[in-house]
Amino acid sequence: MPLEDATVENGCLWFLPGSHKSGKIYQRYERNPEKDPFMVMRGDLPDFDQDKYVPIPAKKGDLVLIHGSVLHKSARNNTDKSRIVYTFHVVEKGNKWSELNWIQATDKLPFPSIYDN
């Protein structure tokens, strides 16, 4: 969710339409066993046609939902305008969660439930 307007000029998100249909995840952040840096990018991204990515500017307060398999990127912000966002990750309860994933529940900080069933 952008807390400020995200524009093409200040580095809004860009998506590759239809990329979620492959069901593949090409790259992901993983915990670094050496602890520094905390996360490392693993996997190889195929050479997709960069001209097929579509910019998605978003106004302050918009909600942007991203399917886990959608290829997305943002450009460097080369303006004097910031693009602060709030990111919220949602995980379906009961699924096997990789111990390599960069975000982990702990006894002290479990994943909170957003609804009761």
Side-chain angles (χ1 to χ4, degrees), residues 1 3 5 15 18 20 23 26 28 38-40 49 61 74 79 87 90-92 96-97 101 115:
M1 179 182 344
L3 301 179
D5 290 351
F15 294 90
H20 66 289
Y26 298 99
R28 70 177 188 166
F38 174 72
M39 299 184 298
V40 291
D49 184 348
S74 61
T79 72
T87 303
V90 179
V91 179
E92 191 171 356
K96 172 79 172 113
W97 192 250
N101 199 302
Y115 66 91

Side-chain angles (χ1 to χ4, degrees), residues 42-113:
R42 300 275 192 235
D44 295 313
L45 193 59
D47 189 22
F48 291 104
D49 184 348
Q50 297 298 305
D51 292 336
K52 292 189 177 177
Y53 278 82
V54 176
I56 307 295
K59 296 281 188 194
K60 174 182 177 178
D62 282 352
L63 179 63
V64 179
L65 295 175
I66 305 174
H67 183 280
S69 295
V70 170
L71 292 173
H72 59 284
K73 64 181 183 176
S74 61
R76 182 180 300 269
N77 181 357
N78 292 317
T79 72
D80 62 351
K81 295 180 180 178
S82 58
R83 56 168 177 164
I84 298 172
V85 301
Y86 176 76
T87 303
F88 183 80
H89 295 262
V90 179
V91 179
E92 191 171 356
K93 196 172 186 174
N95 284 345
K96 172 79 172 113
W97 192 250
S98 172
E99 293 178 13
L100 297 175
N101 199 302
W102 70 275
I103 190 169
Q104 295 290 325
T106 65
D107 290 338
K108 191 173 184 178
L109 292 170
F111 291 147
S113 179

